[in-house]
Every structure is written in structure tokens, then in C-alpha cells.
Amino acid sequence: PPSRHHYASTPSLWPEMPSELLSALFKRRSDVDSAAQTWESKPAESSADAAASHLASLTFDAPSAQEWLKQLEQSPEEDLLADALTDGLAEREKSAPSHVPRAVQPEEADRLKQLVAELAALQQQFSQERESLGAAREELKVRQADIASREAELEAEKAEQKRREEARRNYPQPAWLDKVEGCINIAVVGNSGVGKSLLINRLRRLRPQAEGWAPVGVNETTMRPTVYPFPNQPGVRLWDLPGAGTTAVPAETYLQDMGLRYFDRVLVVTAGRFTEMEGALRSELERHKVPYCMVRSKVDQDVSNNREDNFAEKHQTLKQIREDLEQNHGVETHSLYLISSREPEEYDMPRMMADLFPGLKRELDPTAPVFHPAGTAQALACQAQMTPAAWNDAWAMPIALSVTLSGLQGRWRDAYNAFYLVQNDHCHVTLSTGAHALVQFSQDANVVWWCMRWYADEQAVLNASRSRELRWTPANLQDQPLIWWWTD
């Protein structure tokens, strides 16, 4: 029988078909063509990879990605974060969080012994003087009240030291958590695939593949607790902890095994609904008064999918997610954060950063003592004293990127196993051979060009946010589309 293509391309056969069916066939063909993808076989690795048409014009004389990133200046956001971390660490060193089980120090044990000795001496003295004080009833009452007060103080001190010893015994500090005093430790917990590693990188404002970048993958990349200090502030540390409920990390002893009571704050991360295990963990954190954040990640994907499937607006999707977690999972509003690590300036990420590091609120508050808006008398006084005024610095305005260029930020790869690291309007290229090149994008309105032969626009970036596949359109139809895959 004739093929579908034969029907579609032979006008003499069209009258034999109902018009409705013919229309449906053409529409179906159009849908299939519009959703088609270009599949490229992976070429064998060789030194000729640079001969690929989209790489042929590049000069491979750039430094490695990490060396290149070190040469870039810090952004205003990184400067503000560094100041906030310094302030937070200074406040943290003054006193440890009350929920951290503290060991009984030698001086505290000596204090208890001293109280016992003082009480014994007071009781002996009172016993010896009781007969002579028989007539002085008021004096007798004063002495008895003093002894009772000392006894109550002693019992309270005994109970407190016993409670702390039991807490340390039942919830020991893990050996890998080497330092609690004088630093800030924040735990990030959740199952595989929820985006913990990328979140840790975003919280530290770390550029992709910079030194200290947490490895990102769809599989469980955290098999044991791993620490990630903040750049230039090693006293503030994020800990990527393995998910609970596995053979290696049983749910029943997760709080004890991971030492969560010794952290300043715990981030419980999920990419969907919170599981029963995560709900139980939240209850335990509340019982021990450990501050926590319930983090719902990847909401940008929900917003995009709900817009495409149900024509829902962004605020409608976020409202649905929030109401579901609050009403059906008991998550309180103040502890719930809807975030996207791919869009760190959107959704609740800025609010969570400010709650994690209160110094950020002060740094961004123009009325705070440490900040003086340009033009005010205080700012002029700062200039006179040769001290920087916060809102008077030239770098206070961050770089503004187009929508398309913003969507390209991050790390990509192609079928030749070449990696592309996009930072602002530059792209660092690394071949499988270890050669490196640096490319500056060309822009025309909201269109970004690669080597002036392929271009990406807002729609391409929007599609890539859903499929993790970026399709560069060739300017010359004889060229094949250039395809990048998101790797973080």
C-alpha cells in the first residue's frame, strides 16, 4: 500500500481522502517535524576533534578553566557575601548555639565541687551555731533560707551537667565534624537527585568548575559527609550529607549518625514532596531546637512544565506548590523556601540566603550603620576618612545580561565531549585532549551568536531549561544544528 509520504506528496490521491483526515495527517506531520531531534553519533576520541566545524576557527591557547576563573574579578554579590560571612563568624565566636550539646568543661566540674564544699561547710557551721541562735529566730530563718538556696543551686547545676553528659553520650559529635566552636557549620540533607550539590555551589556563589566546586550528577554523588568551605572564609562550611533510609545510613539513627545537633542550621532539600522520613527528621530537629529550612528545589522546572501543560502563570504554580506542602505536609510558611539553583536570583533563594547569613540583610540595608548612601553627610564623612561608602562604589551595579545570555550561564558539553563553561559574555572551551580556548559571544538584540555561524535566542534557552538540551540554529541551512547538553 502507498506510504504516508506517498499520500502526502501525490496530489492525485488527495481527493480520495476525506478533507478532515487529510488535514489531521498534515497537522500530525507538522507536529512530528517540529519535535524532531538531531541525533549525532559520538565520534572516536582523537586529536582531530578541533577540526569539528564549530571548533575549527578557535585558537586553543587559553589557560585551564580553574586558572581562568581565578583571573576573573569578584562580583559585587561575592563581595557582599564575604562581608556578611565575616560578620556572622564574629557573632558566632561570641557564643555557641544553645541547641549544640556542650561537653562539661573541667572548670565547670570544679565549680560543682566547689558548690558541694561550700554547702557542706555552711551546713556544719549552722549546726554548730544552732543552739546559740535558738533565741534569735529571725537570724535562724535567714541562715536556713541561705542553705536552701545553696542546695537548690547545687541540684540545678548537677541536673544541668547530667543532662549535658547524657546528650553527649546519646548524640556524640561525629569524628569527621572536626570543629564546632568558632565556626559556622550548615548541613544540607536530602536524597539523590534533589540538587544538593548544585545548591551548595550556588550558596557559596561559586562559579562552575572553580576550585572547590561540588561535583554535580543525577546519581548519588555523596556517599559520606563532605565539607565545602566558603571561598576566602574557611570558618563557614557547608556539609553535603548522604540521604537517609539506606543500608549505609539507616533512618532510625540518622540524627545521631550525622550529628545534626552540632550544626548551626540544617537544610532539608527535596525536588518534589517531602517524604515521611524527612517529616520525621523535621520533628526531631524541632524537638532539639535545631534551626532548619525546608527547601523545595527545581521549582523553575515546575513553573515551565505547568505553563506548557496547563497554561498556568508562574505565581499560580508557586502558590500550588506552597499550599500543597503547607496543608498536606505540615511545613510552616516561615521555614519553607521554593528555590531554583539554576536561577539563584529568583524565587526564595535571596530570602534563604538572608536568613542563613543575617549579615546580608545589614549589608543590603541602606539605613544600617555600616552602609551610607552616596551623597549623604555620612558618605562624605566616610570619604574624608578614606573608608569606602557602600553605595558609592563603582562596582555596586552588577553586570546586566540579556535573557538569552543569562540562560547560557553554566557548564555544557557537546557530542565531541568538549565542555563549554559560560561566564557572563565569555565561554571557556575544553577539549577531550586537554586543549583550552576562550570565546567571546557576539550579540544582536537578544540573539547570541557562536562564531557568527550558529545562534540561540530566548526560545532556545526556554526549551533548554526544560529539556537540558540547547539547540543552536545554523545561519546557513547547509550547516547542521549545534547541540549542547547541560551538565550541572
Side-chain angles (χ1 to χ4, degrees):
S3 65
R4 176 177 65 86
H5 177 73
H6 181 66
Y7 275 118
S9 59
T10 309
S12 61
L13 295 178
W14 291 358
E16 301 176 10
M17 303 176 61
S19 60
E20 294 82 358
L21 177 58
L22 185 62
S23 176
L25 284 173
F26 273 105
K27 183 180 185 302
R28 178 57 180 163
R29 181 179 182 181
S30 176
D31 291 343
V32 170
D33 290 342
S34 65
Q37 297 185 10
T38 301
W39 295 92
E40 304 177 31
S41 61
K42 183 177 180 181
E45 184 175 324
S46 72
S47 59
D49 282 350
S53 59
H54 64 288
L55 301 172
S57 62
L58 305 187
T59 302
F60 289 88
D61 58 356
S64 67
Q66 286 195 357
E67 291 299 321
W68 174 61
L69 291 173
K70 289 179 181 178
Q71 299 171 8
L72 300 180
E73 295 182 359
Q74 280 193 323
S75 67
E77 293 85 357
E78 291 170 324
D79 291 330
L80 289 177
L81 180 59
D83 293 340
L85 294 178
T86 300
D87 292 344
L89 196 57
E91 294 178 2
R92 175 65 170 79
E93 289 176 345
K94 295 177 183 178
S95 61
S98 58
H99 64 269
V100 174
R102 294 186 300 114
V104 177
Q105 301 299 318
E107 57 270 20
E108 294 175 315
D110 292 341
R111 166 64 177 163
L112 182 59
K113 293 178 182 178
Q114 181 182 354
L115 288 175
V116 172
E118 289 177 354
L119 179 60
L122 192 61
Q123 289 173 333
Q124 184 179 4
Q125 181 183 3
F126 177 72
S127 179
Q128 293 173 352
E129 297 178 354
R130 176 176 292 178
E131 293 183 3
S132 62
L133 293 174
R137 293 184 177 179
E138 293 300 324
E139 182 67 18
L140 190 61
K141 289 181 179 179
V142 171
R143 292 291 185 90
Q144 288 176 328
D146 187 23
I147 292 176
S149 175
R150 296 293 185 91
E151 289 175 341
E153 181 181 359
L154 177 61
E155 291 302 319
E157 184 66 23
K158 284 182 178 178
E160 174 61 18
Q161 292 195 17
K162 181 180 179 181
R163 182 191 67 81
R164 287 164 55 182
E165 288 173 350
E166 289 180 350
R168 295 285 295 192
R169 185 167 55 252
N170 296 332
Y171 298 91
Q173 181 177 336
W176 46 263
L177 187 58
D178 55 343
K179 190 177 181 183
V180 174
E181 302 294 337
C183 64
I184 298 176
N185 293 298
I186 298 175
V188 182
V189 304
N191 293 321
S192 62
V194 300
K196 292 184 297 178
S197 298
L198 187 56
L199 172 59
I200 286 173
N201 294 326
R202 290 291 183 259
L203 288 175
R204 294 184 297 154
R205 301 283 172 86
L206 209 60
R207 296 182 172 107
Q209 297 310 300
E211 186 176 356
W213 176 264
V216 177
V218 296
N219 296 321
E220 178 62 73
T221 56
T222 306
M223 303 307 295
R224 63 181 183 275
T226 307
V227 62
Y228 295 99
F230 275 75
N232 304 320
Q233 189 52 273
V236 183
R237 310 185 297 181
L238 295 175
W239 289 83
D240 190 353
L241 304 184
T246 63
T247 304
V249 190
E252 296 76 14
T253 58
Y254 188 78
L255 191 72
Q256 293 91 330
D257 294 341
M258 294 296 106
L260 294 183
R261 291 188 63 181
Y262 292 89
F263 286 88
D264 292 74
R265 191 178 291 265
V266 177
L267 308 186
V268 183
V269 186
T270 185
R273 296 180 175 179
F274 290 104
T275 64
E276 184 177 345
M277 169 59 204
E278 290 158 344
L281 176 60
R282 182 189 68 203
S283 300
E284 280 292 290
L285 293 173
E286 290 177 346
R287 185 165 72 90
H288 295 290
K289 297 180 172 57
V290 181
Y292 65 89
C293 301
M294 303 300 287
V295 182
R296 171 60 161 83
S297 64
K298 302 184 181 182
V299 295
D300 58 314
Q301 297 181 16
D302 296 282
V303 169
S304 178
N305 292 337
N306 206 18
R307 180 188 298 117
E308 182 175 353
D309 297 341
N310 303 309
F311 307 101
E313 296 294 333
K314 173 181 174 181
H315 71 275
Q316 294 174 317
T317 301
L318 296 178
K319 182 180 179 182
Q320 292 172 3
I321 296 174
R322 195 176 298 277
E323 288 180 349
D324 175 60
L325 294 176
E326 291 174 354
Q327 297 174 9
N328 300 326
H329 297 266
V331 181
E332 297 183 0
T333 302
H334 67 86
S335 64
L336 177 60
Y337 302 85
L338 309 183
I339 69 160
S340 165
S341 295
R342 293 192 65 181
E343 301 178 31
E345 302 305 321
E346 298 292 326
Y347 309 104
D348 291 339
M349 182 77 86
R351 179 171 68 91
M352 186 173 72
M353 286 290 294
D355 289 343
L356 287 175
F357 309 108
L360 277 177
K361 296 179 181 178
R362 292 192 294 272
E363 297 291 350
L364 296 173
D365 181 5
T367 65
V370 294
F371 266 77
H372 305 301
T376 63
Q378 295 91 335
L380 296 176
C382 285
Q383 292 176 354
Q385 299 171 12
M386 298 302 292
T387 57
W391 298 104
N392 201 38
D393 292 338
W395 52 257
M397 181 64 71
I399 298 174
L401 302 178
S402 67
V403 174
T404 303
L405 200 53
S406 296
L408 294 178
Q409 303 299 301
R411 197 167 70 115
W412 308 78
R413 67 170 180 84
D414 66 10
Y416 291 85
N417 208 29
F419 285 86
Y420 304 81
L421 175 58
V422 180
Q423 181 67 36
N424 294 331
D425 61 346
H426 283 77
C427 179
H428 184 280
V429 183
T430 301
L431 297 184
S432 59
T433 60
H436 308 283
L438 197 59
V439 178
Q440 184 171 13
F441 289 115
S442 300
Q443 294 190 75
D444 181 10
N446 206 25
V447 173
V448 176
W449 287 86
W450 176 264
C451 299
M452 298 306 295
R453 290 179 61 185
W454 292 268
Y455 66 89
D457 54 17
E458 287 187 33
Q459 188 60 46
V461 168
L462 178 61
N463 293 340
S465 68
R466 294 193 295 264
S467 65
R468 303 173 69 87
E469 177 184 284
L470 177 66
R471 298 176 64 86
W472 294 81
T473 303
N476 185 343
L477 296 182
Q478 294 180 350
D479 288 330
Q480 292 292 322
L482 176 60
I483 303 176
W484 287 3
W485 290 276
W486 177 259
T487 62
D488 292 330

